[in-house]
Amino acid sequence: MSSPVAFLDLGTAHAAIRPELDAVWHNAVDRNGFVGGEPVVKFEEDFARYTGSRFCIGVSNGTDALELILAGLDIGPGDEVIVPTNTFIATAEAVVRAGATPVFVDVDPVTALITGDHVRAALTERTAAVMAVHLYGQMVNMTDLLAVTEPAGVAVIEDAAQAHGATWEGAPAGSLGVAAGFSFYPGKNLGAFGDGGAVTTGDERLAERIRSTANHGRSSTSKYEHDLLGRNARLDSLQAAILRIKLGELDSWNKARREVAGLYDVKLGGHVVPFAEADRAASVYHLYVIRCVGVTRDAVGEALDRNGIGWGIHYPIPCHLQAPFRSAATPVIDVAEQQAPQLLSLPMHPHLTADEIDRVCGVINELDGR
Ligand SMILES: *Cc1c(COP(=O)(O)O)cnc(C)c1O
């Protein structure tokens, strides 16, 4: 058997910048600074600029980022928050942790994303916000979404955990909603060496509130005064310094991911259908997800396994069918339920070679149809 094809390859990405990454640890030990301080401030400045946002607050992880945004907007008990059912469960967890009620909606069959129409149909008097999940690396159609939410006075919160660097009509993820939550889980397009996250927003009051809440409600002017009831949800200095170095590589890594996706798009045969990139969007392909239509997912998975090719499923069970949410009232969801058994994620990372992509496509194209 030829050599395996990795689903994700952090090793190659880190090897190229290894001396800089290693120096982070030495600097931290030299300074004995581990929480907050200059590395966090610098990263926040850089990431605010990168996302076209006025403010960035480094936080503990992407789930906390979303929960802090909801709480910062006073969204809680009695409020409904619209969530696409095809997402990582953290989007819905954050809503419940904030005390609000997730209302799951279906997704578009061609992009796998929530649309303005889905949101319009789910609006009630209690709707306070929509989680615009930029899934798989592609931004939601924000023009249509905002046209529905703005007249209704509903906040759009971007879940940009899979979309660092993605754009909608040239505007970066994190710049179009009231606020956005990012995750720096190691496998994301921009990943830390552990957990990490960030909030971006253009709203100064919200930014201050989130910054304080994530740091024990501490006053911005007095270390020993606590203005509000907070918690500990900070980004640590080591992670911030690592992220700052990796942010410098992100555009070239995202470009390479788009090239990989372009090759998959032309080389994959008719057994499988990729999700489409909208004309006005530029995806950063956190994942390359196909639907198995002319063959079963099991057949594709087994063939990939036999050939040492990594794969995954994002996500096999829509959120509204997961145990914590099964009893909740949910509108009709056809597309996500019908597509969930077909979904399969192929190897996707910036260092995948043309030869590896050929092998993956060859294995799938050689399968007999069902
Ligand atoms: C990863 C992810 C999150 C959660 O981020 P963590 O840093 O793991 O807490 C939220 N939403 C989506 C869509 C994600 O992919």
Side-chain angles (χ1 to χ4, degrees), residues 57 59 68-69 72 199 206-215:
I57 304 106
V59 298
L68 285 160
I69 294 167
V199 172
L206 179 64
E208 277 171 15
R209 199 162 175 203
I210 290 173
R211 185 178 295 289
S212 174
T213 305
N215 190 20

Side-chain angles (χ1 to χ4, degrees), residues 61-63 66 87-88 90-91 133 159 161-162 183 185 188 196 315:
N61 59 66
T63 315
L66 297 173
T87 181
F88 182 53
T91 318
V133 184
D159 180 341
Q162 303 190 0
S183 166
Y185 180 78
K188 306 286 162 126
Y315 295 89

Side-chain angles (χ1 to χ4, degrees), residues 24-40:
V24 166
W25 177 257
H26 292 282
N27 291 343
V29 178
D30 286 346
R31 289 175 28 254
N32 285 306
F34 303 104
V35 173
E38 189 179 287
V40 176

Side-chain angles (χ1 to χ4, degrees), residues 8-361:
L8 175 69
D9 177 9
L10 293 174
T12 306
H14 294 154
I17 48 173
R18 184 69 187 258
E20 285 171 82
L21 296 172
D22 285 348
V24 166
W25 177 257
H26 292 282
N27 291 343
V29 178
D30 286 346
R31 289 175 28 254
N32 285 306
F34 303 104
V35 173
E38 189 179 287
V40 176
V41 172
K42 287 237 156 99
F43 172 69
E44 288 175 342
E45 283 170 12
D46 288 358
F47 200 65
R49 196 174 315 116
Y50 185 81
T51 55
S53 311
R54 280 183 69 204
F55 305 98
C56 169
I57 304 106
V59 298
S60 39
N61 59 66
T63 315
D64 285 349
L66 297 173
E67 186 188 332
L68 285 160
I69 294 167
L70 288 158
L73 292 169
D74 282 320
I75 294 171
D79 292 324
E80 292 177 356
V81 178
I82 296 172
V83 178
T85 192
N86 184 29
T87 181
F88 182 53
I89 197 161
T91 318
E93 279 169 0
V95 174
V96 177
R97 293 282 164 213
T101 305
V103 174
F104 293 105
V105 298
D106 213 344
V107 290
D108 182 79
V110 177
T111 60
L113 301 173
I114 196 174
T115 68
D117 289 340
H118 292 112
V119 171
R120 187 183 295 108
L123 286 177
T124 73
E125 277 145 41
R126 300 167 80 185
T127 309
V130 178
M131 303 304 261
V133 184
H134 305 319
L135 200 70
Y136 306 152
Q138 174 166 218
M139 281 183 75
V140 166
N141 179 332
M142 293 295 284
T143 312
D144 286 1
L145 180 59
L146 290 167
V148 172
T149 55
E150 274 172 357
V154 166
V156 172
I157 298 170
E158 295 176 72
D159 180 341
Q162 303 190 0
H164 324 65
T167 59
W168 173 257
E169 291 188 329
S175 69
L176 292 177
V178 171
F182 287 85
S183 166
F184 305 126
Y185 180 78
K188 306 286 162 126
N189 288 36
L190 178 61
F193 283 4
D195 280 308
V199 172
T200 61
T201 182
D203 179 335
E204 186 164 16
R205 215 185 121 258
L206 179 64
E208 277 171 15
R209 199 162 175 203
I210 290 173
R211 185 178 295 289
S212 174
T213 305
N215 190 20
H216 302 295
R218 192 163 265 153
S219 155
S220 59
T221 50
S222 164
K223 182 176 175 186
Y224 297 107
E225 278 181 57
H226 302 267
D227 296 338
L228 44 84
L229 184 72
R231 48 185 288 207
N232 180 354
R234 296 176 301 227
L235 178 68
D236 73 62
S237 327
L238 279 165
Q239 302 305 343
I242 294 289
L243 288 165
R244 188 153 180 254
I245 293 166
K246 293 181 72 175
L247 181 59
E249 309 298 316
L250 184 57
D251 280 342
S252 78
W253 288 339
N254 282 343
K255 184 164 168 275
R257 285 175 181 270
R258 290 182 56 79
E259 283 162 12
V260 171
L263 287 176
Y264 275 140
D265 283 347
V266 293
K267 293 191 171 181
L268 284 170
H271 291 325
V272 300
V273 187
F275 284 104
E277 187 181 29
D279 289 342
R280 291 183 277 169
S283 173
V284 290
Y285 290 95
H286 172 59
L287 295 165
Y288 188 90
V289 180
I290 54 172
R291 287 194 299 120
C292 305
V293 291
V295 277
T296 64
R297 174 169 67 200
D298 284 351
V300 177
E302 280 160 24
L304 295 172
D305 283 343
R306 270 199 308 279
N307 287 277
I309 296 166
W311 57 283
I313 306 175
H314 302 85
Y315 295 89
I317 306 171
C319 283
H320 70 283
L321 299 178
Q322 294 281 5
F325 301 114
R326 238 177 265 149
S327 58
T330 295
V332 180
I333 289 179
D334 293 327
V335 172
E337 286 189 22
Q338 184 227 321
Q339 292 191 344
Q342 305 174 329
L343 303 178
L344 187 145
S345 309
L346 294 178
M348 173 49 84
H349 60 81
H351 302 93
L352 218 54
T353 66
D355 179 55
E356 288 177 317
I357 296 163
D358 278 344
R359 278 179 50 209
V360 174
C361 297

